[in-house]
Amino acid sequence: MRLLIIGDLYGQIGAASAIARSRGAKVAHVADIDAALAALRDGQGADLIMIEVREDIEKLVNLLMRERFNLPVIACGVKNDKDAAVKAIRSGAKEYLPLPPNEELIAAVLEAITEETQSVIYASQAMAKTIAMADQIAPSDASIMITGESGTGKEVIARYIHKKSKRAGNLMISVNCAAIPENLLEAELFGHEKGAFTGAVARRIGKFEEADGGTILLDEISEMAMHLQAKLLRVLQEREVDRIGGNKPVKVNIRVLATSNRNMQEEVKKGTFREDLYFRLNVITLDMPSLRNRRDDIKPLAEHFIEKYSKANGLPVKKLADAALAKLMAYSWPGNVRELENSMHRSVLMASGNMIETDNILLQGAPEPIQEKAGNTITMAKPASGNTGGLVGRTVDSVEQELIIDTLNYCLGNRTHAANILGISIRTLRNKLKQYTEQGAAIPPSATGTE
Ligand SMILES: Nc1ncnc2c1ncn2[C@@H]1O[C@H](COP(=O)(O)OP(=O)(O)OP(=O)(O)O)[C@@H](O)[C@H]1O
Ligand SMILES: [Mg+2]
């Protein structure tokens, strides 16, 4: 976990850094936004930025976005300055941290952002085998191809391998090859010199160089364009990268892990993936079993997620009723562990008592319960009653607005949780809220919340 602090946090930088360091974070400090950008371009990576609330946070967020540094920004300010906190969140900060720094709060923020406490949960034979194989191959420097359906835990196992490897003390940098547009992925991976192309305002170190000494995870590698595959092959063969616009190659010492949810051999046959690159990467393959083929994992995983989301919401840890577990065991989990996680997250928020009952578990294709308003919170009615009498006469837009705002209130303003329950993306949620504000709707303070 690497923390970059901008400014002196109103004289509290010493205390804040000490707390972050004591929690295992590496802390770097720069005077202002320009210096922060320079450090990032130079390959001094960060996982999180802390900045004084009086700085121009909007400018920082925009610059980070423009240069595709995908980093959460935490605004720090004097306690109880509500206006500054709201302004910071509106400008794109993820959280507002009151100063002087509180040990527990900083620890919670670091934990939420890094998810480094994440462990691999399993009880099945199939996963035991996969883990045994991962243990065996982790210490070598061999490239590993991790395949498996979406949501089976490919990234989780990649992190596990890195942590068990000789490189554990160094970084693991992950690049999602599917999420970054083709023309930008090249610069992202290989870096560029100043002026290499329009928009290359300064030299930028690529991910391979950033990962030097550690591991690079090329997520969804099958989505990489052919000409980049050729460039990647050269990196693997020569262990050096050519920055775009650069005139001499740079040596890198990296281990490559790659993931894909496609059948790579078929991609090679179809001609969309280079065979030579496939052989280079595929020194060892780990195939993640789908959740329906390792049902013994369902119970421990469900309990793990229930505990995780109960704690994250400040609730006592709820228990899974036997009938509810039976419902989980009977389901096919097309979205694998990710779907189970989302489903448990929702059920923790929906269950009003200490038990998670069958009705609190919504599965894909199962009828959604009708949401009824009760004071400021939402209670979940029994599903499929077909009784919409109370809503007839209202427009879809007005019901939608009320539902969104109530759900946000219910989640104490946490947009990620609310979007999950509503079954929409955070982006959609953000747009809707913006629209409501523009229309002059009264949005309660908690609903302006965090993500
Ligand atoms: N064995 C496990 N123990 C704990 N959590 C897990 C486990 N497997 C998966 N998860 C959780 O499930 C979610 C999906 O895992 P991950 O992102 O590793 O899957 P993936 O195969 O990379 O998915 P995708 O193909 O969609 O990228 C994550 O939130 C992860 O933390
Ligand atoms: Mg993944």
Side-chain angles (χ1 to χ4, degrees):
M1 168 70 175
R2 300 157 301 166
L3 172 64
L4 180 61
I5 301 180
I6 305 177
D8 78 344
L9 306 187
Y10 304 90
Q12 302 285 343
I13 182 168
S17 316
I19 297 173
R21 278 202 194 96
S22 74
R23 302 282 170 156
K26 286 188 186 137
V27 183
H29 174 229
V30 289
D32 53 30
I33 293 178
D34 292 338
L37 258 293
L40 292 171
R41 287 179 191 134
D42 222 30
Q44 187 200 313
D47 302 301
L48 171 68
I49 289 184
M50 279 189 188
I51 182 169
E52 286 178 15
V53 76
R54 65 183 158 195
E55 293 281 340
D56 190 345
I57 293 177
E58 199 166 343
K59 172 181 158 189
L60 172 67
V61 170
N62 287 338
L63 282 172
L64 290 174
M65 226 155 43
R66 200 178 77 194
E67 300 203 24
R68 300 176 321 285
F69 291 111
N70 192 9
L71 296 179
V73 173
I74 310 285
C76 301
V78 191
K79 228 180 199 153
N80 298 332
D81 190 348
K82 269 204 177 132
D83 293 345
V86 170
K87 185 166 169 255
I89 301 285
R90 290 232 163 98
S91 308
K94 273 248 151 147
E95 298 274 356
Y96 178 81
L97 205 65
L99 296 171
N102 170 302
E103 177 125 25
E104 294 302 310
L105 262 180
I106 291 197
V109 166
L110 295 182
E111 196 165 300
I113 281 166
T114 55
E115 284 188 45
E116 263 174 12
T117 45
Q118 186 181 64
S119 40
V120 187
I121 309 288
Y122 66 96
S124 66
Q125 281 290 325
M127 270 303 277
K129 265 195 199 157
T130 310
I131 293 288
M133 185 155 169
D135 285 337
Q136 205 182 338
I137 57 188
S140 83
D141 259 349
S143 301
I144 301 177
M145 183 82 219
I146 305 166
T147 55
E149 286 176 22
S150 190
T152 45
K154 295 186 291 296
E155 185 157 350
V156 168
I157 206 81
R159 292 197 180 281
Y160 178 86
I161 291 171
H162 173 70
K163 267 192 221 148
K164 291 256 169 163
S165 77
K166 289 180 296 203
R167 295 166 178 263
N170 292 323
L171 293 175
M172 174 165 130
I173 303 273
S174 167
V175 184
N176 188 326
C177 305
I180 304 171
E182 184 187 329
N183 58 334
L184 301 179
L185 184 60
E186 182 171 8
E188 185 84 10
L189 287 173
F190 304 100
H192 59 73
E193 295 294 340
K194 184 174 176 177
F197 49 84
T198 332
V201 287
R203 189 169 94 178
R204 162 97 182 253
I205 297 296
K207 295 291 184 193
F208 281 111
E209 281 182 72
E210 197 179 328
D212 194 20
T215 306
I216 190 161
L217 172 64
L218 300 171
D219 216 357
E220 308 203 34
I221 193 161
S222 40
E223 311 308 306
M224 192 183 264
M226 276 305 218
H227 79 280
L228 290 184
Q229 292 180 23
K231 238 182 137 168
L232 172 61
L233 182 66
R234 198 179 113 69
V235 177
L236 295 182
Q237 281 168 341
E238 312 294 334
R239 299 281 152 182
E240 54 189 34
V241 291
D242 297 297
R243 293 187 195 136
I244 306 173
N247 51 19
K248 69 171 193 295
V250 184
K251 282 269 170 233
V252 284
N253 167 14
I254 41 162
R255 182 197 204 167
V256 179
L257 306 179
T259 77
S260 171
N261 53 23
R262 293 179 191 257
N263 180 330
M264 293 301 288
Q265 271 155 326
E266 259 170 38
E267 296 303 306
V268 169
K269 248 193 235 152
K270 276 197 295 185
T272 56
F273 202 82
R274 290 180 68 116
E275 187 170 26
D276 44 8
L277 178 58
Y278 175 63
F279 284 129
R280 274 265 160 196
L281 286 170
N282 193 26
V283 177
I284 298 160
T285 302
L286 268 186
D287 192 32
M288 296 300 291
S290 59
L291 189 55
R292 66 189 157 281
N293 288 328
R294 47 175 162 122
R295 291 188 180 271
D296 289 349
D297 290 345
I298 294 176
K299 182 167 185 256
L301 278 169
E303 284 169 348
H304 167 74
F305 294 132
I306 290 169
E307 184 177 343
K308 173 174 166 184
Y309 289 108
S310 298
K311 284 186 178 159
N313 287 282
L315 302 165
V317 177
K318 306 196 177 196
K319 288 221 157 49
L320 190 60
D322 289 346
L325 174 63
K327 183 171 176 179
L328 299 182
M329 294 298 287
Y331 184 59
S332 64
W333 300 108
N336 294 295
V337 184
R338 188 190 307 286
E339 187 183 359
L340 177 62
E341 176 166 6
N342 290 344
S343 169
M344 291 303 98
H345 184 171
R346 282 184 185 212
S347 59
V348 163
L349 296 173
M350 281 179 185
S352 43
N354 280 334
M355 290 296 276
I356 292 181
E357 307 286 352
T358 325
D359 283 357
N360 304 134
I361 294 173
L362 302 180
L363 301 173
Q364 239 178 44
E368 294 271 324
I370 293 162
Q371 310 214 343
E372 284 179 354
K373 215 184 153 208
N376 234 357
T377 58
I378 288 176
T379 47
M380 310 309 291
K382 289 245 174 345
S385 70
N387 176 11
T388 54
L391 299 175
V392 173
R394 309 256 320 260
T395 64
V396 170
D397 278 351
S398 82
V399 174
E400 181 184 82
Q401 178 169 339
E402 195 174 317
L403 176 63
I404 286 179
I405 291 176
D406 278 358
T407 308
L408 262 167
N409 267 331
Y410 179 81
C411 299
L412 305 175
N414 186 310
R415 293 184 194 181
T416 312
H417 293 176
N420 263 330
I421 294 185
L422 290 161
I424 58 178
S425 68
I426 296 182
R427 180 187 302 217
T428 307
L429 179 59
R430 209 185 289 134
N431 290 342
K432 296 263 179 210
L433 287 174
K434 194 160 161 256
Q435 181 194 327
Y436 300 154
T437 318
E438 280 163 9
Q439 288 165 353
I443 298 188
S446 77
T448 55
T450 53
E451 280 179 7

